[in-house]
Each structure stands twice: as structure tokens, then as C-alpha cells.
Amino acid sequence: MHLSLILLHLAGAVMLLLYAVQIVRMGVESAWGGQLRAMLRAAKTSDLRAALGGVTLATMLQSSTAVAILACGFATSGFLSVPTGLALMLGADLGSALVARILSIDLGWLVPAFLFVGGLLHLKVSSPLLQEIGRMVLGIGLILLSLTLIGSATGPLRESALPANVSDYLAEDYLTAFLIGALFTWLIHSGVAFVLMLAAFATHGLLTLDAAIPMILGCNLGGGMIAFWLTRGMATDAQRITTGNLLFRSGAAIAALAVFEATDAGIETLGSTSATAVVNFHLAFNLGLVAIGLPFVGAVARLTGRMHPGSDDPSADAEPWRTPSALDPSVIDTPRLALASATRELLRMGELIEAMARPVMSLMEDGDRDAIARTRKIDAEVNRIHTRIKLYLAQVNRGQLSEDEARRSIELTDFAINLEHAGDIVAKHLLALADKKVRTEWQFSPAGWAELTELHQKLMDNIHLSLNVLVSQDHPSARQLVREKQRMRDMARRTQDLHLKRLQDGTPESIETSGMHLEIARGFKEMNSLLVTVAYPLLARSGELLDSRLSQDQAAS
């Protein structure tokens, strides 16, 4: 087989592997996104618990980078300290290595079963949860299939001297192998996929252990670079977490490379085959990193604090949400580009709404009036963005727009109005209630607090989903968002009924906070209804949205 054809087959197999890993992560996030974020919130109680939470999250999401993005979002909102975020990331790196170890087991005989069961659940079952579980199972089947395809694609190379020569060279030049591992991991944005690919090469004799180990160490450096790169524009605390994680991974990887080059480390004893030894070494490296690094998260957090001065530094910007506008006046005459620019700015507006809404329950519980005032300030920026978007789109509409472009402009304007209203609900209603709770020192009943917390978490999940629909224009996500509106309505009705039942039973806390409980639940439900509107135009165009909720006879009359 010609070399170019071999490389084409190999590239296709690798892309299938990357896509399959993403499918599994999307399924987990859709099915259990709320529980994962609740687990992340609970991780802040101790560094050890944070590390264990990181292991669990990365194992479920099959990506330490996904955990990093979640952790950075919580750190930006003030829910996660930098040392806890670093401990979480150490655990996430270990969880990612554990995923690679599990998936490296030879389960090729299960591929047809995974594909059949996963496809059946995802395509033929009406339950949203089972659909997402089916997506996960399908993704695992595709991962195993892609590893088989990598073996088939590299089959002709086993008879060539080229792979052996390249492997021998890399075994002698540890630094080049290390840099290749770091660069390739960063390029494909998946450490799990790269480790599995190296294991597949080692299985088929295309890569020796001496060449694979430096590449594994480079992979660990590259994995830290991914999160560092993706969060470079985020708030200071987020940058501190990814910078600290990069310092941990790069320092440990370089030190391990020096030891491996200077001594006979006996890596071959880690497994009966080269492939097993490669994956086990990756797992052992990250396990050792957790054990050694966990006691030093505080020191590294202080170091990153000096590297990234933040709100605790008098010279730092006290309002991190103020960032340059994405509205580009130079493309107003090109509607397609102008609408994309407005969408990016609208996405930023939605992220600010999330930043306002996320700490609401914490502010209700902790009663920090300074934090309430800081959160309320964000609403002024939301209002400014809302005004800029409307004026920008008004200028765009004066040009020559196609029918689709004109419709999209109206949709973006409508959603901007709804987001601005959602911000007002937080600033003028929910934060006012938080401030009132501080002054009155009222307490919710445990059951009532749990119900409001559940409602709040559902709202946060739907904020994420609505912003995904805004950008992706994905029909399944839009349908899910509309279904979530009914779930939110049912949850609000349920907490109202249970609250009234507690009033009848004479629960003191429920009597004290009766009006506040119902107002908070109503505020969450109204915000959710405003967010769901982003899905209506998309579903209306595809004929999946009824003009009226009335029955046909009532509508006709």
C-alpha cells in the first residue's frame, strides 16, 4: 500500500478516536451535567476531597481539560479557591490517565454490542436520559473501533523498516520524542486519545518502550498546555489554576524525563507487554504527581498569584467582567460577519448572566453584603452590552440583508432583550431577596432550601444549554431546552405545593420565609422561560413548535 494511503487511513482512524471521545463526554454532560457541577461544588471542602472529585469528574467526562473548564468557571464565580482548583486538577489528570488505562483493555469483541446497544438507545428510545446513555455507549464502541482501525491502518508499516528507524531514533533522542508528544497532544486537544494511540502503536510493534515513555511525558506537558491555552482570556483565578496545573505537570514531566534518561528505570516491569507498560507508566506518573503535588497546592497558588495579579492585588482590575467588545464595526457592511460578531457579544452577555445567577444561593446562605453588591454591579455591564447589541444590529439592518440574515438579526435582538430582562430579575429581585435575608436573619427549612437549590441548579444547567443552542443552532439541543422548560415548571409547582404543605403543618422556618421562598422559585422559573426563547425560532422553522398551546377547538372558537 502506498505511504500516502496508509497515512490517510491512519488519519481517519485517529479522527474517529477524537470524535468518539467527544461523543462520550457530550453524553455524560447532557445526562449528568447537574450532578457533576454539584460534585464540583462539594469538592471545595478539602484538598483531598477535591482531588478525589477531580478523579471522578475526569473519569466520567474522559477529559481533564473538560474538568479544567468547569473548575475555571466556578473559580471565576468565586465558588472555588485557587488551591482547591489545583487539587481538583491534579485529581483530574489522574482520572484522565485512569480512563486511558480502562480503554486500553482489549475489548474488541464487544464493539458490535456497544455499537448496537448505543445506537438503539440513542436513536430509538424517547427518554432523554436513555438517549444520552446510548450516546455514551455508542461513543465507547467507536473508541474501541477506532483503535482496531489504527491497528489495521498501520499493518503495512510493520513490514517496513521506516517505523523501526524512526522509533530507534526517538529512543535515542529523548528530548525530540518529549517535544513531539507535547506538541501532538496540544494539537489534537486530547491526552486520552494520544495515550491510546501510542499504546496501539506499541501493541503492533511500531514503537519501542524507550521511544514511547518520553512521548508519554511530553503528553502530560501537552495536556497542561491545552487548558492553559483555552483559559488564557478568562478571569485571573481561572488563569491561576491552569498556570499552576501547567507548572505541576511540566516540572514533574521534565524531572521524570531526566531520571529516565540518566537511569535504567525498569519501565518494562510495569506490564507484560509494551502497550500495557506505556499505559501503566502514564497512570503511575499521574498517581505520583497527586501524591507529591497535593501538599504543595497552597505554595503553587501563591506563586501563580504573583504571576497573575488579581482582585486581591490593588493594581488589579476590580471589575474582571469588563472585556473588549466583540462587536466589530468594520464588518457592518458584511451581514454574515456582522451577525457572527453580534452572536459572540450575545454569548458574552449570557456568560455575565450566568456569573450573576451562579452565586445567588451562596449569597442567600452566606449573607455577604459586599459580594451581593459586587454581583449587582455586573448588571450595569449587561445593560451596556444589551444597548450596544441593539444599536449594532440596527446599523446592520440598514444594509442589504438576505431573508435569512434579516430573520437572524431579529432573533438575536429578541434574545438580547430577554437576557437583559433575566439580568434584571437577578439584580433587582433575587439579590434584593438575598439582601433582605441578611437583614432579617431568616432561615429556610432544610426541605425548602433543598428544593430551591435543586431549582437553582436546573436553571444553571439550562443557562449552559441555552448558550449552546445560541451558538450551535443544534435542533436536538433546542428540543431538549424546550423540554427542560416543562421540567422547570413542574419543579416550581412541586416546591410551591410542598411549601404550602409545610405551612399547613406549622413548620416555623416555612412560616417565616413563606413569601421569600415562593418569590425565589418564581424568579428562577421566569429566568428559565426567558432563556428557552432562544430555541423557539429554530424549532418553528423546522415545524416542531406549535403556534398555540390551546386545543384545536378552543383555538378556532
Side-chain angles (χ1 to χ4, degrees), residues 169-170 173-181 215:
Y169 174 77
L170 294 177
D173 189 347
Y174 289 167
L175 181 59
T176 299
F178 178 79
L179 294 176
I180 288 175
M215 297 180 78

Side-chain angles (χ1 to χ4, degrees), residues 445 447-448 451 493-508 510-511 514 517-518:
S445 67
E451 292 160 15
R493 169 60 65 180
R494 176 176 172 273
T495 189
Q496 178 178 321
D497 293 343
L498 291 174
H499 178 73
L500 295 176
K501 178 67 167 59
R502 287 191 292 271
L503 288 179
Q504 292 173 357
D505 294 341
T507 305
S510 297
I511 295 173
S514 178
H517 182 105
L518 297 177

Side-chain angles (χ1 to χ4, degrees), residues 97-375:
L98 185 61
V99 169
R101 181 66 190 90
I102 294 171
L103 294 177
S104 66
I105 300 172
D106 185 9
L107 298 174
W109 58 280
L110 279 176
V111 170
F114 277 122
L115 294 178
F116 175 74
V117 174
L120 186 67
L121 290 175
H122 186 58
L123 299 176
K124 299 298 182 180
V125 176
S126 58
S127 168
L129 177 60
L130 289 179
Q131 286 180 353
E132 299 306 329
I133 292 175
R135 188 190 329 215
M136 292 159 47
V137 174
L138 184 62
I140 293 173
L142 290 175
I143 289 174
L144 300 175
L145 177 61
S146 67
L147 295 176
T148 303
L149 292 177
I150 288 175
S152 301
T154 57
L157 292 176
R158 295 169 212 160
E159 302 173 2
S160 170
L162 178 62
N165 292 336
V166 172
S167 180
D168 290 343
Y169 174 77
L170 294 177
E172 295 295 328
D173 189 347
Y174 289 167
L175 181 59
T176 299
F178 178 79
L179 294 176
I180 288 175
L183 180 61
F184 197 78
T185 301
W186 180 77
L187 286 175
I188 66 175
H189 274 37
S190 176
V192 171
F194 185 67
V195 172
L196 291 175
M197 187 173 66
L198 289 184
F201 287 166
T203 297
H204 299 291
L206 299 177
L207 199 64
T208 65
L209 201 54
D210 286 341
I213 295 304
M215 297 180 78
I216 285 290
L217 293 173
C219 169
N220 281 277
L221 171 61
M225 291 167 57
I226 296 170
F228 176 79
W229 177 260
L230 292 177
T231 59
R232 66 193 185 280
M234 294 182 69
T236 304
D237 280 351
Q239 295 181 50
R240 289 174 178 175
I241 290 175
T242 54
T243 300
N245 183 56
L246 180 59
L247 291 175
F248 271 125
R249 296 182 79 166
S250 59
I254 292 171
L257 181 67
V259 171
F260 181 72
E261 186 173 6
T263 64
D264 182 8
I267 304 299
E268 63 278 354
T269 61
L270 290 176
S272 56
T273 65
S274 294
T276 304
V278 166
V279 181
N280 285 345
F281 173 78
H282 180 54
L283 182 60
F285 172 84
N286 282 279
L287 182 60
L289 183 55
V290 171
I292 295 172
L294 207 55
F296 297 100
V297 293
V300 173
R302 289 190 291 273
L303 175 61
T304 59
R306 290 191 289 270
M307 297 170 67
H308 298 284
S311 57
D312 53 346
D313 189 316
S315 64
D317 183 6
E319 297 182 344
W321 58 83
R322 290 184 180 273
T323 56
S325 173
L327 299 174
D328 186 355
S330 67
V331 298
I332 283 182
D333 294 332
T334 310
R336 178 177 57 84
L337 298 179
L339 292 175
S341 178
T343 302
R344 289 196 300 273
E345 187 73 352
L346 194 54
L347 178 63
R348 192 166 75 90
M349 186 177 175
E351 290 170 345
L352 291 179
I353 298 296
E354 179 189 2
M356 293 175 64
R358 183 173 295 283
V360 163
M361 296 305 291
S362 176
L363 295 175
M364 293 276 184
E365 184 176 24
D366 299 337
D368 187 339
R369 301 186 77 171
D370 291 336
I372 292 173
R374 287 195 301 271
T375 304

Side-chain angles (χ1 to χ4, degrees), residues 525-553:
K525 186 180 73 170
E526 289 176 358
M527 282 188 67
N528 188 76
S529 297
L530 292 167
L531 295 167
V532 172
T533 58
V534 73
Y536 291 162
L538 189 62
L539 297 178
R541 287 197 296 274
S542 61
E544 299 175 77
L545 194 68
L546 298 177
D547 292 333
S548 173
R549 296 177 60 193
L550 297 175
S551 67
Q552 292 297 324
D553 291 341

Side-chain angles (χ1 to χ4, degrees), residues 343-344 347 408 466-474 534:
T343 302
R344 289 196 300 273
L347 178 63
R408 180 61 173 166
S466 66
L467 297 182
N468 288 340
V469 172
L470 170 68
V471 175
S472 68
Q473 295 289 283
D474 177 58
V534 73

